[in-house]
Amino acid sequence: MNMSAERPRVWAFAHQKGGVAKTTSVLGVAGALAERGYRVLAVDLDPQASLTLALGHRPADIPLSLAQVLDQRVPWHAALLKTEVEHLDVLPATGRLSQIGSHWLATGTYEGLRRLVQAIRGYHFILFDAPPSLSIFTVNALVAAHLLLIPTQPEYFSAYAIRHVLQLVQWVRETYNPDLKYRIFITMFQKRNRAHALIRSRLEATFGMGLCQTVIGVDTKVREAAIAGVPIQYFASRSRAAEQYRALTQEVLAYDQQTPTQVVSQPTQETAGRAAAGAE
Ligand SMILES: Nc1ncnc2c1ncn2[C@@H]1O[C@H](COP(=O)(O)OP(=O)(O)OP(=O)(O)O)[C@@H](O)[C@H]1O
Ligand SMILES: [Mg+2]
């Protein structure tokens, strides 16, 4: 992988299911990359603006946001905001993003974020935080990304919904982005919860290498970090979640470097569904 800041690697965090730690994972991975010296741009694709808030910016106080960039009213760097972390910037969201979503849906726009990514310079990584549901922003993020990262809770509904995300991956590969890669990882895992252990083993059996070995456990420090407006590594550097997101980042970096364009072991829709079926 060419680590020049001229050609950023684009990682999208998405899942159909809400509340699976998409935003928390963007923060954790962004923090781990930034502390290693990579320049990171976090892009908030959710009109709820959780990522923007968790990086210390209130949507009400933001004059220019991603919506105006995607509207092509201003260049991308006009909406850029610094964070308290060196090397980590954010393209913030506000509620106005919903209007862009409606417009993109009506006009069948799938390459809006790809155009944005092609204009961006000066970062090693662009991280997309997608909204819940397989929205037009999620589709656009997958079209623009090198790698999709799918966080899942070790719960039945979350594991089951992975099949829908993978159907979308399949469609995106057949249309706009044949080289799209993906990795699944488990979040909010509780060691002593037997159902969690069961679903973890089902996910391992179904997805094999497609499932990251690193598992993110429950750690209330991530909530405190979001309130403080910084990634976990800059709030509680030695906390469990900080360490686990470092390990996850290392694992994903190794994967992304190893096969820049090759698509690895894609399960069929049937096998993807089995993870959930087996968890019943
Ligand atoms: N490892 C963790 N330990 C404890 N709490 C966590 C952990 N990861 C996430 N959470 C909490 O779970 C909730 C959902 O996380 P988050 O907002 O990151 O999910 P999301 O997938 O982005 O949600 P949405 O679908 O609404 O965008 C938040 O309150 C967050 O603080
Ligand atoms: Mg979120």
Side-chain angles (χ1 to χ4, degrees), residues 81-94:
L81 292 176
K82 298 264 168 228
T83 71
E84 283 190 28
V85 172
E86 200 192 351
H87 301 313
L88 173 59
D89 298 336
V90 59
L91 267 180
T94 60

Side-chain angles (χ1 to χ4, degrees), residues 9 27 45 52 55-56 61 63 66-67 73 75 78 82 90-91 128 136 151 155 159 175 183 237 243 257-258 268 280:
R9 295 298 290 174
L27 291 161
L45 299 178
T52 303
L55 286 172
D61 303 334
L66 181 62
R73 285 168 206 255
K82 298 264 168 228
V90 59
L91 267 180
F128 284 126
I136 188 75
E155 306 279 353
T175 53
R183 276 290 185 265
S237 178
E243 296 288 17
Q257 281 167 351
Q258 147 213 329
T268 62
E280 279 170 334

Side-chain angles (χ1 to χ4, degrees), residues 101-115:
S102 307
H103 179 65
W104 280 4
L105 206 52
T107 51
T109 302
Y110 298 119
E111 296 182 280
L113 291 179
R114 181 176 266 179
R115 278 193 291 277

Side-chain angles (χ1 to χ4, degrees), residues 23 46 50 129:
T23 302
D46 190 343
S50 312
D129 182 20

Side-chain angles (χ1 to χ4, degrees), residues 107-217:
T107 51
T109 302
Y110 298 119
E111 296 182 280
L113 291 179
R114 181 176 266 179
R115 278 193 291 277
L116 171 71
V117 159
Q118 282 165 353
I120 292 174
R121 294 283 180 278
Y123 293 92
H124 296 98
F125 290 92
I126 296 173
L127 307 184
F128 284 126
D129 182 20
S133 89
L134 300 180
S135 73
I136 188 75
F137 286 118
T138 310
V139 180
N140 265 263
L142 267 56
V143 168
H146 298 107
L147 174 62
L148 164 66
L149 292 165
I150 310 169
T152 183
Q153 278 182 272
E155 306 279 353
Y156 176 66
F157 297 124
S158 179
Y160 187 84
I162 292 173
R163 61 157 65 183
H164 300 133
V165 183
L166 294 185
Q167 283 164 2
L168 180 60
V169 168
Q170 184 101 17
W171 182 82
V172 169
R173 283 176 177 169
E174 285 165 8
T175 53
Y176 293 93
N177 190 2
D179 295 331
L180 177 65
K181 303 186 283 188
Y182 74 85
R183 276 290 185 265
I184 299 159
F185 63 97
I186 295 171
T187 61
M188 292 186 252
F189 185 79
Q190 290 171 313
K191 258 193 200 151
R192 285 181 198 83
N193 184 320
R194 288 181 60 193
H196 283 194
L198 179 63
I199 292 186
R200 181 184 180 176
S201 65
R202 297 291 180 191
L203 287 168
E204 278 166 358
T206 303
F207 296 105
M209 296 291 289
L211 183 74
C212 290
Q213 286 180 9
T214 309
V215 170
I216 311 296

